[in-house]
Amino acid sequence: MRVPTFYNDPSWQRFFAGMAIGGVISWLLFIYMYGVFQDKQTLLIQEQKDTIQELKDDIVIWQEEFKNLNKKNIEHLLVQQITVKITNHQKYGLDPLSVHETEEIVLEDLKTLKAKDIETVYKNRELIKRVIENRSVSLNGKKYRLEVKELAFFTNVSIVLQITLDA
């Protein structure tokens, strides 16, 4: 059995030629559309990379700025509050009102430290100790001395005192 020869028939030649030309045209159309979409995607990705890099650079700049501001602020911190606490008042049987009044007297002596630079206050810590320890306090007819046990410096100056009977 023999295969018929379609390549000699002009209608079949036109059909195969049309298929070949259609395949080439569709392939060129596909390549063009794919290239256009890829260009758009590449451009979008590049823009996003640029935006991300700009934002990262901005973050670095802002972080450096905040670090510098924090350093400056720490250098220029001011005393905002002073707290005084007497710890051993139960030993002498002192009432809480007397202890509170004694703490208020010490706060009155130290009120000039408020709104001062922490560095200045820290440099004068020995003077602060002497001011507190050289003061004698009269409570319930007896004389007492204050002894500084702990000093903590930051925006809140915290002073822990012990009270002793004055000889």
Side-chain angles (χ1 to χ4, degrees), residues 9-108:
D9 189 12
S11 62
W12 283 104
Q13 287 178 351
R14 276 186 247 125
F15 174 73
F16 287 127
M19 280 181 54
I21 292 172
V24 170
I25 290 173
S26 66
W27 183 250
L28 292 175
L29 187 63
F30 169 75
I31 294 289
Y32 172 75
M33 288 174 39
Y34 181 76
V36 168
F37 287 132
Q38 281 303 98
D39 284 344
K40 287 181 182 177
Q41 292 298 328
T42 305
L43 182 64
L44 177 67
I45 289 171
Q46 189 60 40
E47 287 174 356
Q48 290 174 343
K49 282 182 180 178
D50 292 343
T51 304
I52 289 170
Q53 188 60 42
E54 287 175 15
L55 293 174
K56 283 182 179 179
D57 293 342
D58 287 348
I59 287 172
V60 168
I61 290 170
W62 282 104
Q63 285 176 341
E64 287 295 321
E65 187 67 27
F66 279 124
K67 284 179 187 176
N68 291 338
L69 285 174
N70 285 339
K71 285 179 184 177
K72 287 179 184 177
N73 286 339
I74 286 175
E75 290 173 2
H76 299 296
L77 286 176
L78 302 177
V79 174
Q80 297 173 3
Q81 184 179 5
I82 302 170
T83 57
V84 176
K85 179 76 175 151
I86 298 176
T87 57
N88 68 337
H89 59 87
Q90 296 91 2
K91 179 179 176 183
Y92 298 103
L94 297 175
D95 59 300
L97 179 62
S98 299
V99 172
H100 180 69
E101 288 174 351
T102 305
E103 289 172 352
E104 289 298 319
I105 289 171
V106 173
L107 281 173
E108 272 299 311

